[in-house]
């Protein structure tokens, strides 16, 4: 039985920010989707309600024991002025995977996606249409029960907030400098690295500070057990093109299964370009470069889509990849994925979902 | 330069709960200590203010990227009706260690401790004096800045809330059943296991659920790299008495440096009982039991003080320790520590700090 989504109107709409100065994650739209959970009631009271401050007890468990998970998605304006999402069902599924690992009650994926669509229809004027812009969608769930015992909470809140955004890494594709971190680790097998929980990001900040201080854009994380195998880059998955073949670390329980990662793999298969998911050591990457076989390196994630890596530093060795230029394959994948996302290219995979088709 | 602590009076005081039904972490006193941070101002506006709900933006970074740390301490009522703390300077120092690892701006330890004392003086009638009761003190800091980019926040809130509490594990010392976890891990070297951050607790819930389902009180965590060495138990550090000597895992960067752990070690030294901090494998523990040399096992933490372990299960082996009775040493340490904490025994270590001495 589907629940009815209530609509609570706000008195006055906000002034929309100038598209040129959007940046990322700074402005929020007029409405949000909200739903509560109580162990006696399940998920209840789904509503589209004014974006406004929350009221929470100081003892709310999220502040103390960190049961907090999220997703990141985007809505795009197509040339015919319709609005579409990119593989949103993957985000809904991953949200539930995060729920499972963090002992948070699962949500009805179809229902939440319908709520998100209704929210976007309500906020259709907030989807920007400048080059590289999109409406960033942030679904998140956190524990609210006022209690200091360590156990899964009995009360939660689910919110979906919308933020009109420019490109995450600036407005155009340009190679970044990456630093291989050896002291700090992001995640370990048996931990929570394979799901999107708040604590993973908190734990990553210290290493990112080190990277910033050294003039690097991002960190390349190694596995926590042997400090040897490549895991992921900052907030992206990582791909290496070696002698015409593309390699990306195999999902092992500590790597986040990115939607863009999966899309890159599917696209490469469609193009008949060899792609393998396997354990790859940082030593192998540097050896491939020594042999002149490391042709391209790029990150893949919702925020940047594709982020070419121009320089990679590990211990005291720095290597320049493809002369610090954007690789042809990186560019092709970027063009194809963003083309599909923006409705400028055909979508042979049926990845896009029109929002405007929803009945409200 | 010390800041002035403002006092904001509430209109009506709450009705205090019955001492017999306190439980843990469920009731909160009339006032809390609050202080804010902004990168332009540093820590500012320290105040003792009514305990009431907080107002936070849905985009507050804590919900998304989990910069959240805390401490746990207790205030005790002594037989002469004064109030005292136990080694509070250790908690203040550890709070700053947590700040450092999580990229949260450090606090002035002396000033915060003074604020906590003033708060407790204000709330002196909330310190319960039944057997096993105390006033639980929860200082915590979390990011508040409304922003979705992944980086350390520029705005934080520090709160100290008070909760009159019975004993965490029930009202009397009794042996617990512990289960050695092999699938999930708590922390890894290079991560955040050595500090008190919210995400550590969120990550531990899944294994605790497994333990609960099997009828175990707590989990014994092994190291994440080799799944071999003992780390800690649920929310406590762990000690083994083997052939008259006491062994506890050495602090290695993934174990929490407990204040009670440190106090147990100091006490044993004072008593001339051999105590060693070293890497100890779960195999060694079981082998010692086979040889008839494993005399006692106990956890040590602020909540339980000492928690004797009566049964330990690893894979398909279960061992009973000391006939599932409270060990003499466990009992002696418990009596000595709680005696000092409650002001019923002499304090040769100068561990206790009278709260009523503070000038307000």
């Amino acid at each position: 039985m589907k629940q009815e989504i209530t609509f609570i109107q706000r008195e006055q709409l906000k002034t929309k920010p100038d598209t040129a100065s959007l940046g990322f994650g700074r402005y929020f739209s007029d409405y949000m989707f909200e739903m509560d959970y109580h162990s006696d009631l399940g998920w209840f009271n789904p509503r589209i309600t004014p974006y406004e401050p929350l009221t929470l007890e100081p003892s709310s468990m999220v502040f103390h024991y960190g049961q907090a998970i999220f997703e990141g998605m985007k809505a795009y304006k197509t040339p015919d002025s319709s609005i579409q999402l990119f593989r949103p069902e993957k985000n809904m599924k991953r949200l539930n995977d995060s729920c499972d690992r963090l002992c948070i009650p699962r949500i009805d994926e179809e229902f939440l996606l319908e709520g998100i669509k209704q929210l976007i229809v309500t906020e259709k004027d907030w989807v920007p249409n400048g080059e590289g812009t999109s409406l960033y969608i942030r679904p998140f769930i956190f524990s609210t029960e006022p209690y200091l015992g360590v156990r899964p909470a009995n009360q939660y809140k689910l919110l979906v907030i919308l933020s009109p955004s420019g490109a995450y890494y600036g407005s155009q594709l340009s190679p970044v400098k990456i630093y291989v971190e050896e002291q700090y680790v992001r995640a370990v097998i048996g931990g929570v690295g394979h799901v999107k929980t708040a604590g993973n990001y908190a734990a990553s900040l210290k290493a990112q500070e080190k990277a910033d201080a050294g003039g690097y854009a991002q960190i390349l994380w190694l596995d926590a057990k042997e400090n040897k195998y490549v895991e992921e880059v900052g907030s992206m998955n990582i791909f290496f093109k070696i002698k015409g073949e593309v390699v990306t670390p195999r999902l092992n329980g500590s790597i986040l299964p990115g939607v863009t990662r999966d899309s890159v793999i599917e696209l490469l298969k469609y193009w008949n370009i060899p792609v393998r998911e396997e354990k790859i050591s940082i030593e192998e990457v540097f050896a491939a470069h020594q042999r002149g076989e490391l042709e391209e390196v790029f990150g893949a994630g919702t925020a940047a889509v594709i982020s070419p890596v121009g320089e990679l530093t590990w211990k005291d060795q720095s290597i320049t990849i493809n002369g610090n230029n954007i690789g042809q394959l990186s560019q092709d994948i970027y063009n194809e994925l963003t083309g599909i996302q923006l409705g400028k290219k055909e979508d042979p995979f049926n990845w896009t979902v029109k929002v405007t088709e929803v009945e409200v």
Side-chain angles (χ1 to χ4, degrees), chain A:
Chain A
M1 192 199 66
K2 294 285 180 202
Q3 297 183 66
E4 196 70 35
I5 299 174
T6 314
F7 179 72
I8 300 152
Q9 188 141 14
R10 66 183 296 151
E11 292 198 2
Q12 206 172 353
L13 297 183
K14 300 178 184 176
T15 304
K16 292 183 183 61
D18 181 37
T19 301
S21 63
L22 287 176
F24 178 79
R26 188 60 82 187
Y27 299 100
F28 299 93
S29 74
D30 290 302
Y31 290 94
M32 60 188 182
F33 178 86
E34 189 170 356
M35 186 156 65
D36 293 299
Y37 179 91
H38 190 289
S39 51
D40 294 342
L41 300 167
W43 286 107
F44 68 100
N45 195 11
R47 54 206 186 271
I48 290 172
T49 184
Y51 179 97
E52 59 189 19
L54 307 170
T55 302
L56 286 164
E57 292 289 319
S59 57
S60 284
M61 290 172 83
V62 65
F63 301 125
H64 306 273
Y65 308 127
Q67 270 183 294
I69 58 173
F70 68 93
E71 276 299 322
M73 314 157 60
K74 289 175 174 175
Y76 306 89
K77 195 158 269 176
T78 65
D80 63 357
S81 284
S82 68
I83 297 166
Q84 64 187 21
L85 299 170
F86 184 73
R87 310 186 79 183
E89 70 288 350
K90 300 276 281 182
N91 297 94
M92 297 300 101
K93 188 190 168 303
R94 192 170 60 184
L95 187 64
N96 263 341
D97 291 341
S98 299
C99 283
D100 289 344
R101 183 61 183 85
L102 275 294
C103 301
I104 294 172
R106 294 172 68 91
I107 50 99
D108 177 332
E109 299 176 17
E110 267 182 50
F111 178 71
L112 177 57
L113 184 51
E114 192 186 303
I116 290 173
K117 287 177 181 174
Q118 287 195 21
L119 176 64
I120 294 169
V121 170
T122 307
E123 298 292 68
K124 59 183 186 299
D125 295 341
W126 281 91
V127 186
N129 59 6
E131 183 69 32
T133 65
S134 60
L135 184 66
Y136 185 78
I137 305 162
R138 169 58 57 94
F140 59 112
I141 305 177
F142 59 92
S143 51
T144 55
E145 187 186 352
Y147 179 50
L148 294 187
V150 180
R151 61 151 172 73
N154 289 322
Q155 294 164 46
Y156 298 86
K157 194 176 272 300
L158 179 155
L159 293 170
V160 182
I161 59 177
L162 305 177
S163 178
S165 297
Y168 196 82
Y169 294 102
S171 63
Q172 67 175 37
L173 205 57
S174 65
V176 294
K177 283 171 70 175
I178 302 269
Y179 158 81
V180 181
E181 174 61 37
E182 294 218 293
Q183 179 188 0
Y184 298 110
V185 298
R186 179 187 166 276
V188 65
I189 293 169
V192 293
H194 57 304
V195 295
K196 279 187 96 72
T197 181
N200 287 340
Y201 297 80
S204 78
L205 297 173
K206 193 79 182 172
Q208 184 62 45
E209 258 190 3
K210 265 176 72 182
D212 290 346
Y216 300 95
Q218 295 254 341
I219 298 146
L220 191 147
W221 299 103
L222 299 181
D223 79 286
K225 291 200 182 194
E226 299 182 63
N227 228 4
K228 187 172 168 183
Y229 297 98
V230 173
E231 297 241 309
E232 52 182 277
V233 166
S235 48
M236 300 182 289
N237 293 111
I238 183 100
F239 289 80
F240 303 96
K241 181 166 171 256
I242 299 173
K243 230 182 154 182
E245 294 197 339
V246 180
V247 185
T248 190
R250 184 170 50 219
L251 300 179
N252 62 353
S254 61
I255 293 173
L256 192 81
V259 176
T260 311
R261 176 187 180 279
D262 185 79
S263 306
V264 168
I265 292 169
E266 290 302 307
L267 187 59
L268 290 170
K269 285 179 181 169
Y270 183 76
W271 283 345
N272 287 317
I273 294 172
V275 54
R276 284 177 291 125
E277 299 174 68
E278 63 183 32
K279 219 171 168 177
I280 180 167
S281 71
I282 187 67
E283 212 164 347
E284 277 170 75
V285 172
F286 274 69
H289 180 264
Q290 286 292 37
R291 294 192 305 269
E293 295 174 359
L294 182 65
E295 296 156 356
E296 296 186 36
V297 180
F298 59 91
T302 295
V305 187
I306 296 297
S307 190
V309 178
E311 198 182 310
L312 197 55
T313 299
W314 176 42
K315 299 184 198 269
D316 54 356
Q317 307 170 62
S318 284
I319 58 174
T320 301
I321 296 136
N322 194 32
N324 201 28
N325 295 309
I326 302 165
Q328 189 58 51
L329 183 64
S330 307
Q331 186 70 60
D332 288 348
I333 296 170
Y334 179 82
N335 292 348
E336 193 69 20
L337 288 183
T338 55
I340 292 171
Q341 288 167 341
L342 294 164
K344 294 176 179 174
K345 289 197 176 231
E346 258 191 80
D347 173 14
F349 308 97
N350 279 316
W351 281 340
T352 53
V353 175
K354 288 265 189 254
V355 167
T356 38
E357 283 165 11
V358 76
E359 304 263 319
V360 282

